[in-house]
Amino acid sequence: MRTRFEEIRLAADLANLGAIDNFVTACCKRWHVNESDSFEIQLASDEAATNIIHHAYEEEEGVVTIRCWVRDGHDFCVELRDSGRPFDPDEIEAPDIKAPLEDRAIGGLGIHMMRKVMDEVSFESGDTGNRLLMVKRSAVP
Amino acid sequence: MTESTLAIEQLELKHCDLFRMSGRIDGSTAPQFEEAMQATTNAGHYKIVLNLAEVSYMSSAALRVLISTSKECRKLKRGDVRLAEVNERIAQVLDLAGLNVLFKIFDSEAEAVDSF
């Protein structure tokens, strides 16, 4: 059950990525998430927000809503909502991160890192827009 | 509202170009990083040292610039992008992306510069 949450609504603009970082980091601090986990949650949120700005809204005007809460006492949840074009991270092919530099693909790294640092990444799209939920389990002491 | 900021100081040394960077390199500031790298390679300078001591965050947008610049510099074995004073957080990002093994990383700026 969600008893308490923190939420911020911002224009979907790359200039707001710093504000998103501050918001997520403040939420982590509020729930006593350690520094390393906090950094990873911030990284995943930044990559997710960047994808919404680039792909869901395709650089056009829009709003992104970020909400943080704690599930079952210990799981840190961050949800990003938007009303742009559905952009499902699962549809992006994972890059080969063992390839030599010469063969490294330029795309897909952000989603790869999101999946790597978060325990759950789920996307759903409906009449009310898109919702990306990311969970880092046991991040809250 | 806090905007991300990135400061880039460039020094043209005898054997390489040294960049001291500070701040966040995310989707909003990566174009500035890319511009600095492109200006350097376009000028025919392919030996680059990036001092990342004061960089607090790098997203995949920054990593894309790192990868493309390195590819450009390593063509015809004419140069390389080498990293210096990589802090714990940036090391974490490089490791997540599997890039830590693809770049030469030096503890000090002087060592990185001397490696060319």
Side-chain angles (χ1 to χ4, degrees):
Chain A
M1 199 175 86
R2 273 184 215 169
T3 48
R4 290 188 300 179
F5 63 83
E6 298 282 346
E7 187 176 281
I8 189 171
R9 277 169 62 82
L10 290 165
D13 189 318
L14 292 172
N16 282 334
L17 290 174
I20 291 171
D21 166 34
N22 287 348
F23 170 75
V24 173
T25 303
C27 290
C28 286
K29 211 167 185 175
R30 176 192 157 167
W31 281 297
H32 310 291
V33 174
N34 73 44
E35 211 182 301
S36 172
D37 284 350
S38 170
F39 180 77
E40 292 188 346
I41 292 166
Q42 182 272 126
L43 183 145
S45 307
D46 176 78
E47 296 290 352
T50 304
N51 283 337
I52 289 171
I53 296 162
H54 280 311
H55 303 296
Y57 290 119
E58 296 174 313
E59 323 282 335
E60 285 179 10
E61 276 184 30
V63 171
V64 57
T65 305
I66 297 130
R67 182 182 284 202
C68 297
W69 71 94
V70 177
R71 186 183 71 187
D72 300 333
H74 296 289
D75 300 342
F76 190 96
C77 303
V78 51
E79 175 194 78
L80 289 95
R81 278 178 286 140
D82 68 82
S83 51
R85 193 169 66 87
F87 178 73
D88 187 347
D90 280 341
E91 287 171 11
I92 305 298
E93 205 181 325
D96 178 6
I97 68 153
K98 295 212 169 123
L101 187 94
E102 294 68 27
D103 302 331
R104 276 301 179 98
I106 294 290
L109 265 184
I111 288 163
H112 161 80
M113 293 199 290
M114 269 164 59
R115 287 206 191 98
K116 203 155 176 186
V117 298
M118 302 303 279
D119 298 301
E120 297 171 31
V121 177
S122 59
F123 176 81
E124 58 183 46
S125 181
D127 294 341
T128 52
N130 309 310
R131 176 179 182 264
L132 180 77
L133 173 65
M134 301 188 288
V135 182
K136 196 163 185 71
R137 292 187 204 128
S138 308
V140 179
Chain B
M1 213 60 63
T2 319
E3 283 194 27
S4 303
T5 53
L6 171 67
I8 303 176
E9 182 194 356
Q10 181 177 0
L11 287 104
E12 279 187 35
L13 305 177
K14 200 173 173 188
H15 298 294
C16 66
D17 281 43
L18 168 65
F19 293 83
R20 291 185 185 131
M21 314 213 287
S22 57
R24 277 173 62 88
I25 318 180
D26 61 17
S28 69
T29 54
Q32 192 188 335
F33 176 35
E34 187 168 30
E35 206 174 292
M37 293 298 102
Q38 279 179 351
T40 307
T41 54
N42 287 345
H45 297 195
Y46 302 107
K47 291 174 181 169
I48 295 172
V49 171
L50 304 177
N51 183 331
L52 303 178
E54 300 300 322
V55 175
S56 59
Y57 175 65
M58 277 177 121
S59 75
S60 62
L63 301 181
R64 280 194 287 273
V65 178
L66 262 187
I67 293 172
S68 60
T69 309
S70 300
K71 281 182 180 176
E72 185 65 18
C73 289
R74 288 183 190 179
K75 263 185 213 165
L76 311 169
K77 298 193 189 315
R78 59 195 176 186
D80 197 9
V81 176
R82 296 182 179 166
L83 312 179
E85 303 186 28
V86 174
N87 63 57
E88 196 188 340
R89 294 290 165 246
I90 300 308
Q92 202 174 342
V93 176
L94 294 172
D95 184 43
L96 283 168
L99 292 176
N100 49 340
V101 291
L102 300 183
F103 285 90
K104 285 189 179 157
I105 300 173
F106 297 84
D107 289 341
S108 74
E109 184 183 279
E111 281 175 87
V113 168
D114 287 345
S115 73
F116 282 113

Coordinates of all heavy atoms in Angstrom, one line a residue, chain A residues 8 10 16-29 38 42 46, chain B residues 1-4 24:
Chain A
I8 N 7.1 15.1 -8.3 CA 7.4 16.3 -8.9 C 6.9 16.3 -10.4 O 7.0 15.2 -11.0 CB 9.0 16.6 -8.8 CG1 9.3 18.0 -9.3 CG2 9.7 15.5 -9.6 CD1 10.8 18.3 -9.1
L10 N 7.4 18.2 -14.1 CA 8.3 19.1 -14.7 C 8.0 19.1 -16.2 O 7.6 18.1 -16.8 CB 9.7 18.7 -14.5 CG 10.3 18.9 -13.1 CD1 11.6 18.1 -13.0 CD2 10.5 20.4 -12.8
N16 N 15.8 20.2 -17.5 CA 15.3 19.9 -16.2 C 15.9 18.6 -15.6 O 15.6 18.1 -14.6 CB 13.8 19.7 -16.3 CG 13.1 21.0 -16.3 OD1 13.6 22.0 -15.7 ND2 11.9 21.0 -16.8
L17 N 16.9 18.0 -16.4 CA 17.5 16.8 -15.9 C 18.2 17.0 -14.5 O 18.2 16.1 -13.7 CB 18.5 16.2 -16.9 CG 17.9 15.6 -18.2 CD1 19.0 15.2 -19.2 CD2 17.0 14.4 -17.9
G18 N 18.8 18.1 -14.4 CA 19.5 18.4 -13.1 C 18.5 18.5 -11.9 O 18.7 18.0 -10.8
A19 N 17.3 19.1 -12.2 CA 16.2 19.2 -11.2 C 15.7 17.8 -10.8 O 15.4 17.5 -9.7 CB 15.1 20.0 -11.7
I20 N 15.6 16.9 -11.8 CA 15.2 15.5 -11.6 C 16.2 14.8 -10.7 O 15.8 14.1 -9.8 CB 14.9 14.8 -13.0 CG1 13.7 15.4 -13.7 CG2 14.7 13.3 -12.8 CD1 13.5 14.9 -15.1
D21 N 17.4 15.0 -11.0 CA 18.5 14.4 -10.2 C 18.4 14.9 -8.7 O 18.4 14.1 -7.8 CB 19.9 14.8 -10.8 CG 21.0 14.6 -9.8 OD1 20.9 13.6 -9.1 OD2 22.0 15.3 -9.8
N22 N 18.2 16.2 -8.6 CA 18.0 16.7 -7.2 C 16.9 16.1 -6.5 O 16.9 15.8 -5.3 CB 17.9 18.3 -7.2 CG 19.2 18.9 -7.6 OD1 20.2 18.3 -7.6 ND2 19.1 20.2 -7.9
F23 N 15.7 16.0 -7.2 CA 14.5 15.4 -6.6 C 14.7 14.0 -6.1 O 14.4 13.6 -5.0 CB 13.3 15.5 -7.6 CG 12.1 14.8 -7.1 CD1 11.3 15.3 -6.1 CD2 11.8 13.6 -7.7 CE1 10.2 14.6 -5.7 CE2 10.7 12.9 -7.3 CZ 9.9 13.4 -6.3
V24 N 15.3 13.2 -7.1 CA 15.4 11.7 -6.8 C 16.4 11.6 -5.6 O 16.2 10.8 -4.7 CB 15.8 11.0 -8.0 CG1 16.2 9.5 -7.7 CG2 14.7 11.0 -9.1
T25 N 17.5 12.3 -5.7 CA 18.6 12.3 -4.7 C 18.0 12.7 -3.3 O 18.3 12.0 -2.3 CB 19.8 13.1 -5.0 OG1 20.3 12.7 -6.3 CG2 20.9 13.0 -4.0
A26 N 17.1 13.7 -3.3 CA 16.5 14.1 -2.0 C 15.6 13.0 -1.5 O 15.5 12.8 -0.3 CB 15.7 15.4 -2.2
C27 N 14.9 12.4 -2.4 CA 14.0 11.3 -1.9 C 14.8 10.1 -1.3 O 14.4 9.6 -0.3 CB 13.2 10.7 -3.1 SG 11.9 11.9 -3.7
C28 N 15.9 9.8 -2.0 CA 16.8 8.7 -1.5 C 17.3 9.1 -0.1 O 17.4 8.3 0.8 CB 18.0 8.5 -2.4 SG 17.5 7.7 -3.9
K29 N 17.6 10.4 0.1 CA 18.1 10.8 1.4 C 17.0 10.7 2.4 O 17.3 10.3 3.6 CB 18.6 12.3 1.2 CG 19.7 12.7 2.1 CD 20.3 14.0 1.7 CE 21.5 14.3 2.6 NZ 22.2 15.5 2.2
S38 N 21.8 5.2 -4.1 CA 21.2 6.5 -4.4 C 21.7 7.0 -5.8 O 20.9 7.4 -6.7 CB 21.5 7.6 -3.4 OG 21.2 8.8 -3.8
Q42 N 19.5 7.4 -9.2 CA 19.5 8.7 -9.9 C 19.9 8.5 -11.4 O 19.3 9.1 -12.3 CB 20.5 9.6 -9.2 CG 20.7 11.0 -9.7 CD 21.7 11.1 -10.8 OE1 21.4 11.6 -11.9 NE2 22.9 10.6 -10.6
D46 N 17.6 9.4 -14.5 CA 18.1 10.3 -15.5 C 18.0 9.7 -16.9 O 17.5 10.4 -17.9 CB 19.5 10.7 -15.2 CG 20.2 11.6 -16.2 OD1 19.9 12.8 -16.2 OD2 20.9 11.1 -17.1
Chain B
M1 N 14.7 26.1 -10.0 CA 15.1 25.0 -11.0 C 16.6 24.9 -11.1 O 17.3 25.9 -11.4 CB 14.4 25.3 -12.3 CG 14.0 24.0 -13.1 SD 12.8 23.0 -12.3 CE 11.4 24.1 -12.1
T2 N 17.1 23.7 -11.0 CA 18.6 23.6 -11.1 C 18.9 23.0 -12.5 O 18.5 22.0 -12.9 CB 19.1 22.5 -10.1 OG1 18.5 22.7 -8.9 CG2 20.6 22.7 -9.9
E3 N 19.7 23.8 -13.3 CA 20.1 23.2 -14.5 C 21.5 22.6 -14.4 O 22.3 22.9 -13.5 CB 20.3 24.4 -15.6 CG 18.9 24.8 -16.1 CD 19.0 25.7 -17.3 OE1 20.0 25.6 -18.0 OE2 18.1 26.5 -17.5
S4 N 21.7 21.6 -15.2 CA 23.0 20.9 -15.1 C 24.1 21.8 -15.7 O 23.8 22.5 -16.7 CB 23.0 19.6 -16.0 OG 22.0 18.8 -15.5
R24 N 28.3 18.0 -14.3 CA 27.5 16.8 -14.8 C 27.5 16.7 -16.3 O 27.3 17.7 -17.0 CB 26.0 17.0 -14.4 CG 25.6 16.6 -13.0 CD 24.2 17.0 -12.7 NE 23.2 16.3 -13.6 CZ 22.7 15.2 -13.3 NH1 23.0 14.5 -12.2 NH2 21.8 14.6 -14.1

